[in-house]
Amino acid sequence: MSGHLAIVGLGPGDTRYLTAEAVEALAAAQALYGYGPYLDRVPVRAHQSRRASDNREERTRAAAALAHAAQGARVAVVSGGDPGVFAMAAAVCEEIESGPASWRALDVSIVPGITAMLAVAAQIGAPLGHDFCALSLSDNLKPWQLIEQRLDAASGAGFVLALYNPVSRARPWQFAAAIERLRRHLPPSTPVVFGRAVGRPDERINVVTLDAADATQADMATLVIVGSRETRVIERPGRSPLVYTSRAATEVSA
Ligand code: SAH
């Protein structure tokens, strides 16, 4: 089968975050699939079709892209950040696993991108400088109880947390509940970084302490990093603070 499907990470925003491999994969595609605002970031090329779909239609989009590639086309599915982090690469794999056997014969490549947590971390210092984990707070595809369990386990074990999908219109209360949960395990002085629209013109980064963190500080375009007991804030005269997590950890958390 001659079809090809590339799942391409666009990075957090600005084109300077695109890798050379992503630029090549986008230029080589005959058809582009993706969430509208992500597709809008890709320069328009003649003879390249584009099919925009809604954010929530990941499986349908993945199936449509696979079916198109199976006809022998070079197809690219675009994803914000990295396609393997809470994004399209897993949706495509789910479709390949449950779809027609012929999809398993397709040439599939996954082109990595800079994921939001790395872009936010780089803007503020090195909050992910020691052990960390990434969680999506979206309970669209998993029960809220499981998210609470994972918040308890990860914060209790001393991991820094990168929280994706803190808020959406359909999920108004979850982020406040997550903060409440984390306060059971972490000191009030724990640094919390809110990185909004990083890599875009309306980028905004705020650092607060866990006791001052509240849900109004996050929206759909925000990535939240909650520190561990080893995360510190270095205040600097005339410059924004550096937030970092020390590479040395001594304390075993309760
Ligand atoms: N695949 C993407 C994540 C998709 S989940 C990636 O690797 O970055 C969507 C969530 O990612 C958003 O709710 C937000 O938490 C985070 N996010 C995506 N782009 C962002 C950006 N530019 N700045 C801050 N957070 C971002």
Side-chain angles (χ1 to χ4, degrees):
M1 191 176 286
S2 62
H4 179 90
L5 182 66
I7 311 157
V8 183
L10 300 179
D14 195 275
T15 49
R16 73 187 194 282
Y17 289 115
L18 268 183
T19 66
E21 188 188 14
V23 171
E24 252 173 52
L26 294 172
Q30 297 167 309
L32 297 178
Y33 285 74
Y35 174 47
Y38 294 152
L39 275 183
D40 292 343
R41 291 195 209 158
V42 182
V44 175
R45 287 185 183 83
H47 314 300
Q48 190 176 56
S49 67
R50 37 180 73 206
R51 206 93 36 98
S53 45
D54 189 79
N55 213 3
R56 290 167 161 260
E57 293 170 8
E58 290 176 336
R59 295 252 341 219
T60 319
R61 179 192 309 142
L66 281 159
H68 196 164
Q71 291 165 10
R74 268 198 98 75
V75 176
V77 178
V78 299
S79 221
D82 182 274
V85 179
F86 308 124
M88 285 306 296
V92 169
C93 290
E94 285 165 12
E95 288 305 309
I96 292 174
E97 191 177 22
S98 62
S102 60
W103 287 0
R104 297 185 184 216
L106 277 172
D107 185 11
V108 174
S109 53
I110 291 144
V111 180
I114 296 173
T115 187
M117 68 178 176
L118 300 185
V120 171
Q123 290 295 331
I124 195 72
L128 308 179
H130 199 59
D131 299 345
F132 67 90
C133 72
L135 274 105
S136 168
L137 291 190
S138 170
D139 57 354
N140 288 339
L141 296 171
K142 60 188 172 191
W144 179 251
Q145 286 79 357
L146 180 63
I147 296 174
E148 285 191 332
Q149 246 177 33
R150 289 182 177 168
L151 288 168
D152 288 346
S155 59
F159 290 109
V160 169
L161 306 175
L163 302 177
Y164 285 76
N165 293 311
V167 180
S168 80
R169 241 164 284 138
R171 296 180 292 105
W173 55 265
Q174 281 82 343
F175 182 58
I179 292 289
E180 218 27 73
R181 199 84 193 176
L182 293 174
R183 286 189 181 128
R184 298 185 187 182
H185 304 277
L186 297 167
S189 60
T190 304
V192 179
V193 178
F194 289 88
R196 184 182 183 281
V198 170
R200 303 183 208 149
D202 49 341
E203 167 177 314
R204 200 177 63 224
I205 305 219
N206 283 323
V207 183
V208 301
T209 49
L210 184 57
D211 59 346
D214 82 85
T216 61
Q217 291 160 306
D219 66 4
M220 273 173 78
T222 306
L223 183 284
V224 184
I225 297 178
V226 180
S228 69
R229 287 165 197 270
E230 281 78 37
T231 305
R232 304 203 267 271
V233 180
I234 308 175
E235 298 293 349
R236 301 185 298 170
R239 292 185 185 279
S240 55
L242 282 172
V243 178
Y244 86 108
T245 303
S246 170
R247 292 170 302 147
T250 48
E251 208 170 339
V252 178
S253 41

